[in-house]
Amino acid sequence: MIAAAREQVEGYECRIQLLDATYDGYLDRFPCSNVIELAKTPLLDVESVFYIDTDGVETEFTAWTQKLNWTPGVTPSELPAPGYILLDYNESWPDTRCQPDAVRIRFRCGFGDEAADVPR
């Protein structure tokens, strides 16, 4: 029952990651806005943003700032919306090739490595 409860909490609808995990999030293109919201919370770190450019070459994009959304000691019921990536001032998202999953964002989320790190 513990495993089933953890899977329910970490599922798509709940969006909470209990133990640290690394995810790859995909977009077909960069958004029209200057913000990309990430699918899981609590966000610990955004490791990289890669995209497929119009020539079909995978390229790293670095003109962004991560916004973490969690302070240690906050309980899951008090968590705000997931963390996000904010486009740096006076920058614009690059053009991508028109294909599925043209943007890949690697990020880490969770409360810690051990079950004892997860708040009650």
Side-chain angles (χ1 to χ4, degrees):
M1 288 176 40
I2 291 172
R6 181 189 52 77
E7 289 173 7
Q8 179 69 29
V9 169
E10 291 179 345
Y12 178 75
E13 289 183 23
C14 215
R15 298 171 63 153
I16 296 173
Q17 180 64 38
L18 299 178
L19 298 179
D20 286 5
T22 300
Y23 287 93
D24 284 331
Y26 293 92
L27 301 170
D28 292 343
R29 63 189 168 282
F30 286 106
C32 295
S33 71
N34 64 346
V35 175
I36 299 174
E37 184 178 291
L38 299 172
K40 290 282 197 176
T41 189
L43 178 64
L44 296 173
D45 183 39
V46 176
E47 295 179 0
S48 62
V49 177
F50 281 89
Y51 68 100
I52 306 297
D53 69 16
T54 55
D55 294 326
V57 177
E58 185 176 55
T59 306
E60 186 169 14
F61 183 70
T62 59
W64 54 268
T65 303
Q66 67 186 2
K67 295 297 181 184
L68 304 182
N69 65 342
W70 176 67
T71 303
V74 172
T75 63
S77 64
E78 298 172 323
L79 283 174
Y84 56 92
I85 295 172
L86 181 63
L87 188 62
D88 284 348
Y89 177 74
N90 215 20
E91 294 286 343
S92 58
W93 300 115
D95 291 331
T96 61
R97 179 171 262 197
C98 186
Q99 71 177 54
D101 300 337
V103 178
R104 177 175 48 88
I105 303 164
R106 178 160 288 168
F107 62 97
R108 284 187 329 103
C109 53
F111 290 100
D113 293 328
E114 304 293 328
D117 297 330
V118 179
R120 293 182 71 82

